[in-house]
Amino acid sequence: MSQARNHVRIIGGDYRRRQLPFPDAEGLRPTPDRVRETVFNWLGQDLDGLVCLDLFAGSGALGFEAASRRARRVVMVEKSRKVAEGLKANRQLLAAQAVEVVVMDAVHYLKSCRERFDLVFLDPPYRSTLLEQILPLLPAVLADDARVYVEAASWPDLEGWQRIKEGRAGLVHYGLLGQGRPDASL
């Protein structure tokens, strides 16, 4: 496997241009630079004060981008111990004090979590049914006016959610969701 394939580049903020390695793991596919650039243009480049959850952290691309943009706290949840160890090593490499890595199943984490998040990143294993399980659990951990970023092979049932922004890159649909009325906006 090529070295470039096992690295992700932070595209903005304090850690901009830093290359972060990540381990080989089945289904691990970092969000492409172009998509991350679009998402953080939607969200704004400065996430100062926000509490973020990267629920299927994987390479950590989304969570480390949020930390790089000065999120107050970023919780990265990763089920694979091997992948989580890579996230912890990258947290140490960046001296990213705002980042916490939790080794746990995403559904179990949500069911046991008492924290509220302003921004949640959901990029579950491709073609899984995890989004359908996760979306109904999310409202319990969302702060008022929270936003949820989703990547999926296709959109699941979004009852109770608004698609605020959306795009497509190859076979992947991605978008920013919010709760509430159809006129909800950023």
Side-chain angles (χ1 to χ4, degrees):
M1 222 169 250
S2 80
Q3 285 295 89
R5 183 163 181 220
N6 287 344
H7 282 76
V8 66
R9 180 177 61 93
I10 302 299
I11 58 172
D14 294 342
Y15 310 136
R16 188 171 154 204
R17 294 188 191 103
R18 296 291 299 268
Q19 295 279 338
L20 302 178
F22 61 89
D24 284 330
E26 185 177 342
L28 187 60
R29 50 174 183 71
T31 301
D33 288 7
R34 183 176 63 85
V35 173
R36 278 186 283 132
E37 188 172 346
T38 298
V39 170
F40 285 95
N41 283 338
W42 292 344
L43 294 169
Q45 296 300 315
D46 185 4
L47 302 183
D48 189 43
L50 295 185
V51 178
C52 304
L53 173 62
D54 190 352
L55 198 54
F56 300 91
S59 70
L62 294 167
F64 285 121
E65 287 286 354
S68 184
R69 289 167 167 81
R70 302 190 177 163
R72 179 168 53 90
R73 179 165 157 74
V74 178
V75 178
M76 295 183 174
V77 177
E78 175 54 51
K79 183 177 177 178
S80 164
R81 187 162 303 280
K82 174 183 169 185
V83 174
E85 289 305 317
L87 293 170
K88 289 176 183 178
N90 285 333
R91 176 189 64 199
Q92 186 171 358
L93 177 72
L94 296 172
Q97 299 301 315
V99 174
E100 176 186 355
V101 178
V102 176
V103 183
M104 188 181 288
D105 173 77
V107 173
H108 182 71
Y109 178 82
L110 284 180
K111 287 181 177 179
S112 63
C113 181
R114 299 294 171 250
E115 191 166 0
R116 297 268 181 178
F117 298 95
D118 303 299
L119 178 59
V120 177
F121 299 105
L122 293 179
D123 182 10
Y126 200 61
R127 299 197 190 281
S128 74
T129 60
L130 287 166
L131 275 179
E132 289 85 349
Q133 296 172 53
I134 294 294
L135 287 173
L137 299 174
L138 274 183
V141 301
L142 295 179
D144 293 339
D145 300 320
R147 296 292 177 245
V148 178
Y149 170 74
V150 176
E151 281 185 38
S154 61
W155 288 109
D157 176 19
L158 294 175
E159 185 176 338
W161 296 94
Q162 291 308 133
R163 275 191 249 183
I164 297 168
K165 303 269 188 176
E166 62 183 295
R168 189 168 174 182
L171 299 174
V172 176
H173 296 266
Y174 62 94
L176 204 55
L177 306 179
Q179 292 187 290
R181 300 183 315 272
D183 60 342
S185 62
L186 282 173

